[in-house]
Coordinates of all heavy atoms in Angstrom, one line a residue:
G1 N 7.6 -17.9 0.7 CA 7.8 -19.2 1.4 C 7.4 -20.4 0.6 O 7.7 -21.5 1.0
K2 N 6.7 -20.2 -0.5 CA 6.3 -21.4 -1.3 C 6.1 -21.0 -2.8 O 5.5 -20.0 -3.1 CB 4.9 -21.9 -0.8 CG 4.4 -23.2 -1.4 CD 3.2 -23.7 -0.8 CE 3.5 -24.3 0.6 NZ 2.3 -24.9 1.2
C3 N 6.7 -21.9 -3.6 CA 6.6 -21.7 -5.1 C 6.6 -23.0 -5.8 O 7.7 -23.6 -6.1 CB 7.7 -20.8 -5.6 SG 7.5 -20.2 -7.3
T4 N 5.4 -23.6 -6.0 CA 5.3 -24.9 -6.5 C 4.1 -25.1 -7.4 O 3.0 -24.5 -7.1 CB 5.4 -26.0 -5.4 OG1 5.2 -27.3 -6.0 CG2 4.2 -25.7 -4.4
I5 N 4.2 -26.0 -8.3 CA 3.0 -26.4 -9.1 C 2.4 -27.7 -8.7 O 1.4 -28.2 -9.2 CB 3.3 -26.5 -10.6 CG1 4.4 -27.5 -10.9 CG2 3.7 -25.1 -11.2 CD1 4.7 -27.8 -12.3
L6 N 3.0 -28.3 -7.6 CA 2.6 -29.6 -7.1 C 1.4 -29.5 -6.2 O 0.9 -30.5 -5.7 CB 3.8 -30.3 -6.5 CG 5.0 -30.6 -7.4 CD1 6.1 -31.3 -6.6 CD2 4.5 -31.4 -8.6
E7 N 1.1 -28.3 -5.8 CA 0.0 -28.0 -4.8 C -1.0 -27.0 -5.4 O -0.6 -26.1 -6.2 CB 0.5 -27.5 -3.5 CG 1.4 -28.4 -2.7 CD 1.9 -27.8 -1.4 OE1 1.3 -26.9 -1.0 OE2 2.9 -28.4 -0.9
V8 N -2.2 -27.2 -5.1 CA -3.3 -26.2 -5.5 C -3.0 -24.9 -4.8 O -2.9 -24.9 -3.5 CB -4.7 -26.8 -5.3 CG1 -5.7 -25.7 -5.7 CG2 -4.9 -28.1 -6.0
P9 N -2.9 -23.8 -5.5 CA -2.7 -22.5 -4.8 C -3.8 -22.2 -3.8 O -5.0 -22.5 -4.0 CB -2.7 -21.5 -5.9 CG -2.4 -22.3 -7.1 CD -3.0 -23.6 -6.9
T10 N -3.4 -21.7 -2.6 CA -4.4 -21.3 -1.6 C -5.1 -20.0 -2.1 O -4.5 -19.0 -2.3 CB -3.7 -21.0 -0.3 OG1 -2.9 -22.1 0.1 CG2 -4.7 -20.6 0.8
L11 N -6.4 -20.2 -2.2 CA -7.2 -19.1 -2.7 C -7.5 -18.1 -1.6 O -7.6 -18.5 -0.4 CB -8.5 -19.6 -3.3 CG -8.4 -20.5 -4.5 CD1 -9.7 -21.0 -5.0 CD2 -7.6 -19.8 -5.7
P12 N -7.7 -16.8 -1.8 CA -8.0 -15.8 -0.8 C -9.3 -16.2 -0.1 O -10.3 -16.6 -0.8 CB -8.1 -14.5 -1.6 CG -7.3 -14.7 -2.8 CD -7.4 -16.2 -3.2
K13 N -9.4 -16.0 1.2 CA -10.6 -16.4 1.9 C -11.6 -15.3 1.8 O -12.8 -15.5 2.1 CB -10.2 -16.6 3.4 CG -9.3 -17.8 3.6 CD -9.0 -18.0 5.1 CE -8.0 -19.1 5.3 NZ -7.7 -19.3 6.7
S14 N -11.2 -14.1 1.5 CA -12.1 -13.0 1.4 C -11.8 -12.1 0.1 O -10.6 -12.0 -0.3 CB -12.1 -12.1 2.6 OG -12.8 -10.9 2.4
I15 N -12.9 -11.6 -0.5 CA -12.7 -10.7 -1.7 C -11.8 -9.5 -1.3 O -11.2 -8.9 -2.2 CB -14.0 -10.3 -2.3 CG1 -13.8 -9.7 -3.7 CG2 -14.8 -9.4 -1.4 CD1 -13.3 -10.6 -4.7
S16 N -11.9 -9.1 -0.1 CA -11.1 -7.9 0.4 C -9.6 -8.1 0.2 O -8.9 -7.1 0.2 CB -11.5 -7.6 1.8 OG -11.1 -8.6 2.7
M17 N -9.2 -9.4 0.1 CA -7.8 -9.6 -0.1 C -7.3 -9.3 -1.5 O -6.1 -9.3 -1.8 CB -7.4 -11.1 0.3 CG -7.7 -11.4 1.8 SD -7.4 -13.2 2.1 CE -5.6 -13.2 2.0
L18 N -8.3 -9.2 -2.4 CA -8.0 -8.9 -3.8 C -8.5 -7.6 -4.3 O -8.1 -7.2 -5.4 CB -8.6 -10.0 -4.7 CG -8.1 -11.5 -4.5 CD1 -8.9 -12.4 -5.4 CD2 -6.6 -11.5 -4.8
V19 N -9.3 -6.9 -3.5 CA -9.9 -5.7 -4.0 C -9.7 -4.6 -2.9 O -9.8 -4.9 -1.7 CB -11.4 -5.8 -4.2 CG1 -12.1 -4.5 -4.6 CG2 -11.7 -6.9 -5.2
D20 N -9.3 -3.4 -3.4 CA -9.0 -2.3 -2.4 C -9.1 -1.0 -3.2 O -8.6 -0.9 -4.3 CB -7.5 -2.5 -2.0 CG -7.1 -1.4 -1.0 OD1 -6.7 -0.3 -1.4 OD2 -7.2 -1.7 0.2
M21 N -9.8 -0.1 -2.6 CA -10.0 1.2 -3.3 C -8.8 2.0 -3.5 O -8.6 2.6 -4.6 CB -11.0 2.1 -2.4 CG -12.5 1.6 -2.5 SD -13.1 1.5 -4.2 CE -13.0 3.2 -4.7
E22 N -7.8 1.9 -2.6 CA -6.6 2.6 -2.8 C -5.8 2.0 -3.9 O -5.3 2.8 -4.8 CB -5.7 2.5 -1.5 CG -4.4 3.3 -1.6 CD -3.5 3.1 -0.4 OE1 -3.8 2.3 0.5 OE2 -2.4 3.8 -0.3
A23 N -5.8 0.7 -4.0 CA -5.1 0.1 -5.1 C -5.8 0.4 -6.5 O -5.1 0.6 -7.5 CB -5.1 -1.5 -4.9
T24 N -7.1 0.5 -6.4 CA -7.9 0.8 -7.7 C -7.5 2.2 -8.1 O -7.2 2.5 -9.3 CB -9.4 0.7 -7.4 OG1 -9.7 -0.6 -7.0 CG2 -10.2 1.1 -8.7
F25 N -7.4 3.2 -7.2 CA -7.1 4.5 -7.6 C -5.6 4.7 -8.0 O -5.3 5.5 -8.8 CB -7.4 5.5 -6.4 CG -8.9 5.8 -6.3 CD1 -9.6 5.5 -5.2 CD2 -9.5 6.5 -7.3 CE1 -10.9 5.8 -5.1 CE2 -10.9 6.8 -7.2 CZ -11.6 6.4 -6.1
I26 N -4.8 3.8 -7.4 CA -3.4 3.8 -7.8 C -3.3 3.4 -9.3 O -2.6 4.1 -10.1 CB -2.5 2.8 -7.0 CG1 -2.3 3.4 -5.6 CG2 -1.2 2.5 -7.7 CD1 -1.6 2.5 -4.6
F27 N -4.0 2.4 -9.7 CA -4.0 1.9 -11.1 C -4.6 3.0 -12.0 O -4.0 3.3 -13.1 CB -4.7 0.6 -11.3 CG -4.7 0.1 -12.7 CD1 -3.6 -0.5 -13.2 CD2 -5.7 0.4 -13.5 CE1 -3.5 -0.9 -14.6 CE2 -5.7 0.0 -14.9 CZ -4.6 -0.7 -15.4
L28 N -5.7 3.5 -11.7 CA -6.4 4.5 -12.5 C -5.6 5.7 -12.6 O -5.4 6.3 -13.7 CB -7.8 4.8 -11.9 CG -8.8 3.7 -12.0 CD1 -10.1 4.2 -11.3 CD2 -9.1 3.3 -13.4
G29 N -5.0 6.2 -11.5 CA -4.1 7.3 -11.6 C -2.9 7.1 -12.5 O -2.5 8.0 -13.2
W30 N -2.3 5.9 -12.4 CA -1.2 5.5 -13.3 C -1.6 5.6 -14.7 O -0.8 6.1 -15.6 CB -0.7 4.1 -12.9 CG 0.3 3.6 -13.8 CD1 0.2 2.6 -14.7 CD2 1.7 4.0 -13.9 NE1 1.3 2.3 -15.4 CE2 2.3 3.2 -14.9 CE3 2.5 5.0 -13.3 CZ2 3.6 3.3 -15.3 CZ3 3.8 5.1 -13.7 CH2 4.4 4.3 -14.7
F31 N -2.7 5.0 -15.1 CA -3.2 5.0 -16.5 C -3.4 6.5 -17.0 O -2.9 6.8 -18.1 CB -4.5 4.3 -16.6 CG -5.0 4.0 -18.0 CD1 -4.6 2.9 -18.7 CD2 -5.8 4.9 -18.6 CE1 -5.0 2.6 -20.0 CE2 -6.2 4.7 -19.9 CZ -5.8 3.5 -20.6
V32 N -4.0 7.3 -16.2 CA -4.3 8.7 -16.6 C -2.9 9.4 -16.7 O -2.7 10.2 -17.6 CB -5.2 9.4 -15.6 CG1 -5.3 10.9 -15.9 CG2 -6.6 8.8 -15.6
F33 N -2.0 9.2 -15.7 CA -0.7 9.8 -15.8 C 0.1 9.5 -17.1 O 0.6 10.4 -17.7 CB 0.1 9.4 -14.5 CG 1.5 9.9 -14.5 CD1 1.8 11.2 -14.5 CD2 2.6 9.0 -14.5 CE1 3.1 11.7 -14.4 CE2 3.9 9.4 -14.5 CZ 4.2 10.8 -14.4

């Protein structure tokens, strides 16, 4: 819905929006694979 450099990007309100155990294991599994 928005793609512009004219506004400061909305930062996540919580660290949980950027960190997730499932996502971490997906990346680690991909690297090992």
Side-chain angles (χ1 to χ4, degrees):
K2 184 176 290 187
C3 188
T4 178
I5 60 172
L6 300 179
E7 298 180 16
V8 177
T10 303
L11 299 178
K13 297 179 180 179
S14 171
I15 192 67
S16 61
M17 298 178 68
L18 295 177
V19 178
D20 181 277
M21 286 305 296
E22 182 183 8
T24 300
F25 282 116
I26 286 173
F27 179 81
L28 292 176
W30 171 252
F31 189 89
V32 172
F33 175 61

